[in-house]
Amino acid sequence: PSGRLRESQRIDEERKTISFVRAVWRAAGAREFNQMMRYRWIHLELVFVLAAVILEVGGCIRLAKGSPEKHYYALEVARPAESPVPRKGAILKIRKLRISPRFEGTEIVYRTSEARYRSDFYNEWFIAPSAMVTQQLQSWLTNARLFQHVVDTSSSLEAGYLLEGAVNALYADLRLNGSPKAVLTMQIVLIRDR
C-alpha cells in the first residue's frame, strides 16, 4: 500500500508540474498573441490612414468639404396682364399632361449634342415635370380669362371643353457654347365636349 501511495503522490506531483508548465506556456502564448494582434491592428490602421491620404491627395474624396448641395427649381409662367371678359358658362377641364419618358424624372436634363442628353443629380425640379407643367398651364389659362372656370379632372363641374396633351421635350440646350436656352415643346388638343 505504501508503494501505491508513493506512486499516487508522484503522479500528482507530475500533474501539478505539467499543469504549471502549461499555464506558463499559455500565458506566454497569450502575451505573444496579444502583441501580434496589437501589431496587426496598428498595421491595419496605418493602411487605412495611408489609403485615405492617397485618396484625398488624388482628389477622389474630399475630407474637408461636405457633399455637394442639391438645388430645386420650379417652372413658373407669367401671362401679361390682359383682362378680356370670360365666356359666360364656359368651363375648361384640363387632364394631366403626359410627358416623354426621357424627361419625366425630377433631374434637370441637359442636351449636349444632337444625340446626347445627360441628367443632373444635383439640380432637380421641385415636383414631377408632368404635374408642374399641367399646373402652370392651368394657371396661365385661368389668367387668360378665356373661360369662366379652368379646372382639373378632380373637379365635379361638367365642362364643355377638355384640354389634353403631352410634353415632348423639356431640357436645357447646351449645344451652342455661350448661348444656352430652355426648350419646352408640347402638343395640345382642345376638345369640345358637348
Side-chain angles (χ1 to χ4, degrees):
S2 66
R4 279 189 169 170
L5 185 60
R6 277 189 228 149
E7 183 69 24
S8 176
Q9 287 174 346
R10 186 181 60 77
I11 291 173
D12 284 343
E13 289 291 321
E14 285 178 10
R15 283 185 187 161
K16 287 180 185 174
T17 304
I18 292 171
S19 296
F20 176 74
V21 170
R22 280 188 182 162
V24 169
W25 183 80
R26 285 182 186 158
R31 187 173 55 240
E32 287 175 10
F33 178 76
N34 287 339
Q35 286 176 347
M36 183 179 71
M37 288 307 291
R38 206 173 311 136
Y39 170 75
R40 283 191 177 171
W41 278 110
I42 291 171
H43 180 72
L44 192 58
E45 288 174 358
L46 286 174
V47 168
F48 282 130
V49 169
L50 184 60
V53 168
I54 289 171
L55 291 172
E56 172 67 21
V57 170
C60 296
I61 60 170
R62 298 277 181 227
L63 297 176
K65 295 181 182 177
S67 60
E69 202 174 299
K70 277 191 163 190
H71 298 97
Y72 298 93
Y73 298 91
L75 181 66
E76 291 188 22
V77 294
R79 182 166 174 82
E82 298 176 18
S83 56
V85 177
R87 289 185 58 187
K88 187 171 173 121
I91 299 173
L92 173 66
K93 191 172 279 193
I94 299 178
R95 284 194 180 147
K96 185 176 180 181
L97 299 175
R98 295 177 315 279
I99 190 161
S100 169
R102 290 185 291 178
F103 310 108
E104 68 185 350
T106 56
E107 297 91 6
I108 293 179
V109 176
Y110 302 101
R111 185 173 187 179
T112 56
S113 69
E114 289 304 312
R116 182 177 236 154
Y117 295 83
R118 67 178 176 87
S119 61
D120 189 343
F121 178 78
Y122 295 104
N123 292 303
E124 294 185 350
W125 296 113
F126 190 65
I127 59 173
S130 60
M132 180 176 56
V133 174
T134 301
Q135 189 268 331
Q136 289 300 309
L137 179 61
Q138 182 178 350
S139 176
W140 191 84
L141 287 168
T142 299
N143 292 335
R145 297 177 49 109
L146 299 172
F147 301 90
Q148 187 172 2
H149 300 286
V150 179
V151 296
D152 63 20
T153 54
S154 66
S155 174
S156 60
L157 289 175
E158 284 199 35
Y161 299 92
L162 180 65
L163 189 75
E164 59 184 35
V167 176
N168 300 319
L170 177 63
Y171 61 88
D173 193 345
L174 305 178
R175 291 178 289 177
L176 299 174
N177 290 337
S179 60
K181 61 182 179 179
V183 176
L184 170 64
T185 60
M186 299 185 337
Q187 185 176 17
I188 303 289
V189 177
L190 178 64
I191 303 165
R192 187 171 177 108
D193 206 19
R194 292 183 199 164

